[in-house]
Amino acid sequence: MPEIFINGQPVQAEANQTVLQAALANGFYIPYFCWHKELSIAGNCRICTVQVEGRSWVEISCNMPVTEGLHVLTDSDLVRAHRKATMQFITLNHPVDCGICDKAGECTLQDYHFAYNGSPSVSREPKVHATKFHDLSERILLDNERCILCSRCVRFTREISKSNALGIKNRGDVSLVRAADDSPLDADPYSDNVIDICPVGALLSKPFLHKARVWYLKPTPSVCPGCERGCSVNIWHRKAEWHLRALDPKQNTSIARVTPLENPAVNGPWICNKGRDLAQVFERARADHALQKGKPVALEAAIAAARKLIEEATHPVALVSNWGSNEELSAFKESLAGRFTTFVKRDHSPQPGERLEDDLLILADKNPNTAGARALFGEESLREPLYPADTDLVLVWGEGCNFATLPAGAKVVFLNSYLAPENGHADVFIPVSIQTERAGHYTNFAGVVSAFERCFAKPSTVADAQELFAAIAPGPAGTP
Ligand code: SF4
Ligand code: SF4
Ligand code: FES
């Protein structure tokens, strides 16, 4: 462990660290644009300079190995003057259009300009213009005027997603990030990570474009249910104090964007594009009324009817959801598993064209809690359901069940969150809340348990499965 001195303070560094890493790990801030802890060192932005004591020049710290007894200054007059000059250079042709830029509020260029420059441009030359809003892919717009050519996005596609989809063409002030002709960014299922790691507002998410200023939003920690990796994510939605007085109240309870929540045990700092598109899953048309043989009834009446059917059944079978949380699955087991022959159903299957699996994050089982269900109901419960000949009731929880395969003549109690033709075919249909309306845990393929928190209140006409199971269990009635 080499000892180095930062601004005169002794610091125990790791043997293979750079000065930038040792400084950040020990509470000394050094600015950086092009360096990223998961990418190779490019050393092109020059903002991370420090001064080795006794030298009359500055050097970049992101590529300076620590050595025993090294003395560096992170805030000397020379370092400050160099950072100011670097910021002047980086913003030479930058449009400074923060007022319309989605990155405003999260942009290191803004922060560093304020911290290290703070002066208007010294240049008298007109700015060199470049492409505004270049279609980099179906999902991403590129504003070349805002790009500071740090090459993080290029290195991501070479080193992490390995699509080699991006490069930089031309030189000097006409350099441009562009997608490779033979490897389009659209084919890279991890492409949107470049939006997060771009230190400025050059790479823009089309679905999020001009949707909200980020300071109106708050992130709620959650788990992507798109596959059994269970990546940790932040679901961003409007803060209560910034609710809109809009005709459509859904604007205040909708998902603005989804970003990775760094979790070294599961997904590191990345997620795939499917995780970004969770609004397409959670914001499908909801089933928000209970039904009995297709006719709307009060939730309490549907619960009573379901309880009666369960009470009267002699050989009931349950197909439980592997989108259920550990808490919901446990509640089912506690209240109902003794009465039912239980199978765990796969709610979602791979969609046509979807990447099945790879060696970065994406896994073949497109459901979040198969492992949690296996732990509670056993490996046998995951096989295709075998219905005894005298099955007289099937409880179906969640999506992915082909009703045509259910035993003829058996009554059906169906719990689902979305509008579907099957809702009206069930003897009793009870609408249930979705992941964003409750808190819970999923267990991923490797046994890592991750928590998700509630983003929005559930509609009053739908039940929470965790409480519902006790309420439909024969015996003293509960209240969902
Ligand atoms: S688009 Fe962003 S990440 Fe890519 S080189 Fe430019 S500034 Fe860096
Ligand atoms: S890898 Fe799986 S869990 Fe992670 S973001 Fe993609 S679909 Fe979601
Ligand atoms: S962060 Fe060191 S040169 Fe860019």
Side-chain angles (χ1 to χ4, degrees), residues 294-327:
K295 297 217 168 55
V297 292
L299 183 58
E300 295 71 23
I303 289 168
R307 188 169 54 237
K308 188 156 183 291
L309 286 180
I310 295 169
E311 212 162 33
E312 291 170 357
T314 52
H315 291 98
V317 171
L319 309 181
V320 302
S321 167
N322 61 353
W323 280 54
S325 66
N326 290 341
E327 291 80 359

Side-chain angles (χ1 to χ4, degrees), residues 190 224-233 267 270-276 278 354 361-363 366:
Y190 297 97
C224 172
C227 78
E228 62 175 336
R229 170 79 54 186
C231 293
S232 297
V233 294
N267 51 299
W270 319 119
I271 56 171
C272 80
N273 291 350
K274 187 177 179 184
R276 311 259 173 187
L278 288 184
E354 179 177 358
L361 295 178
I362 299 172
L363 293 172
K366 305 302 179 189

Side-chain angles (χ1 to χ4, degrees), residues 96 98 191 258 282 420 442:
V96 200
C98 312
S191 65
V258 178
F282 291 136
Y442 293 138

Side-chain angles (χ1 to χ4, degrees), residues 189-254:
Y190 297 97
S191 65
D192 288 18
N193 289 292
V194 300
I195 299 166
D196 303 329
I197 63 172
C198 179
V200 297
L203 294 170
L204 302 161
S205 160
K206 287 186 189 175
F208 185 60
L209 192 68
H210 301 155
K211 207 167 178 181
R213 308 313 316 222
V214 293
W215 51 88
Y216 295 152
L217 305 177
K218 81 173 228 194
T220 295
S222 194
V223 179
C224 172
C227 78
E228 62 175 336
R229 170 79 54 186
C231 293
S232 297
V233 294
N234 274 321
I235 294 182
W236 294 77
H237 49 96
R238 240 177 142 79
K239 289 177 181 165
E241 61 269 35
W242 285 109
H243 271 188
L244 292 165
R245 288 187 193 174
L247 287 177
D248 180 5
K250 283 214 180 80
Q251 290 191 36
N252 293 318
T253 55
S254 59

Side-chain angles (χ1 to χ4, degrees), residues 385-463:
L386 290 171
Y387 299 101
D390 50 0
T391 302
D392 53 356
L393 174 70
V394 185
L395 184 149
V396 183
W397 170 20
E399 300 178 281
C401 171
N402 179 355
F403 272 44
T405 63
L406 300 182
K411 304 271 187 203
V412 177
V413 173
F414 186 29
L415 318 180
N416 186 23
S417 305
Y418 301 99
L419 281 185
E422 291 81 10
N423 300 358
H425 298 158
D427 293 275
V428 177
F429 169 75
I430 300 177
V432 287
S433 60
I434 59 173
Q435 183 184 319
T436 49
E437 294 163 355
R438 52 193 160 81
H441 295 81
Y442 293 138
T443 304
N444 86 346
F445 75 107
V448 179
V449 178
S450 301
F452 57 86
E453 293 178 17
R454 197 176 77 138
C455 305
F456 312 116
K458 75 172 176 63
S460 58
T461 51
V462 312

Side-chain angles (χ1 to χ4, degrees), residues 330-351:
S330 296
F332 177 88
K333 186 171 177 180
E334 202 174 301
S335 298
L336 293 169
R339 282 185 170 259
F340 284 83
T341 305
T342 304
F343 295 95
V344 176
K345 170 176 54 58
R346 286 180 184 248
D347 286 26
H348 283 216
S349 305
Q351 296 301 299

